[in-house]
Amino acid sequence: MIAHVIERVQAIRGVDEVVLATSESERDSIVAVEARARGVKVFRGSEWDVLERIAKAAMRYEADVVMRITGDCPLLCPFIAEEVLELYQRLEGVAYIWNDVTQSGWPDGTDVEVFSADMLYRADGAADEKTDREHVTPHIRRTYSVFTVKAPHDHRQWKLSVDTPSDFEFITDVFARLAPATDFSFANTARAVQAVKDAQVRQ
């Protein structure tokens, strides 16, 4: 699954460097090995203080702008990520931009966040709530200006991230129907998702 995420992140235009920020836990070594095999730099840090981990990774690799993508999104669409990044670069006075799945119309599993490394370091120094440390960006969103990228159609009813065994089975079926699998467009994903859902209805 992490290989699919990496492959799609590497296809995002405008991203200078891809870094996998995983934990120091031994069980996460498998994703670190996979990332290095695919030419991705790896930073390992706190398992539960994810904000600190991401901040230290950004500092280690001297990032100016951070695009955060989570490893449970194997159907990430590079073109959506590019739109978020391009808008961040164009809009003045916006500290943080995303395609929040509860508001944007894009489905869960295609979400991307873009913010400055400076905002990340400030949040790391100021945030003291457990949920802020674990989820990285809530402090930034509460403190600074936020812009949400809207989708042309509402797909919020779809869940394309993987959190449970049933999610994994569904996404596996979607990948089996991607034609071709190297087409990372949302249109290709949407056709495959709809085909799986139609098959489930027939059953």
Side-chain angles (χ1 to χ4, degrees):
M1 204 166 73
I2 200 68
H4 283 301
V5 178
I6 289 170
E7 185 177 32
R8 288 164 179 256
V9 170
Q10 289 174 326
I12 300 171
R13 294 174 299 180
V15 172
D16 297 324
E17 192 160 48
V18 180
V19 178
L20 175 73
T22 191
S23 85
E24 297 169 323
S25 170
E26 182 57 34
R27 65 176 175 267
D28 286 329
S29 294
I30 188 170
V31 295
V33 169
E34 180 68 27
R36 291 190 179 102
R38 293 177 174 273
V40 171
K41 291 182 171 63
V42 174
F43 178 88
R44 304 189 70 167
S46 171
E47 182 172 10
W48 300 110
D49 191 344
V50 189
L51 173 55
E52 178 191 77
R53 187 201 314 164
I54 301 296
K56 285 185 174 180
M59 191 171 294
R60 167 77 60 84
Y61 294 104
E62 301 179 339
D64 294 317
V65 175
V66 176
M67 173 183 285
R68 179 173 176 248
I69 294 167
T70 55
D72 59 355
C73 299
L75 284 168
L76 170 79
C77 177
F79 310 106
I80 298 173
E82 288 169 9
E83 181 181 3
V84 175
L85 179 60
E86 288 168 3
L87 279 170
Y88 175 85
Q89 292 168 334
R90 288 208 316 265
L91 295 175
E92 295 184 7
V94 175
Y96 173 100
I97 185 167
W98 65 342
N99 57 325
D100 172 31
V101 297
T102 66
Q103 303 176 48
S104 70
W106 292 115
D108 182 6
T110 62
D111 33 320
V112 174
E113 303 171 279
V114 178
F115 44 89
S116 71
D118 182 58
M119 294 297 174
L120 177 64
Y121 302 147
R122 291 186 195 181
D124 184 39
D128 53 15
E129 296 292 330
K130 181 180 178 182
T131 187
D132 290 344
R133 309 303 305 184
E134 183 178 353
H135 296 288
V136 183
T137 55
H139 183 273
I140 295 175
R141 294 197 299 273
R142 289 198 309 271
T143 309
Y144 302 102
S145 58
V146 173
F147 185 89
T148 302
V149 179
K150 301 291 185 178
H153 305 287
D154 192 350
H155 293 285
R156 282 176 293 180
Q157 73 277 17
W158 288 358
K159 184 179 187 298
L160 306 183
S161 61
V162 178
D163 297 300
T164 66
S166 60
D167 290 341
F168 182 80
E169 290 176 9
F170 177 77
I171 296 302
T172 299
D173 288 344
V174 172
F175 267 98
R177 294 173 184 267
L178 290 176
T182 53
D183 179 353
F184 299 153
S185 68
F186 184 72
N188 190 33
T189 297
R191 285 190 294 268
V193 169
Q194 195 59 59
V196 173
K197 288 185 174 293
D198 290 346
Q200 290 175 336
V201 170
R202 288 195 295 271
Q203 291 173 359

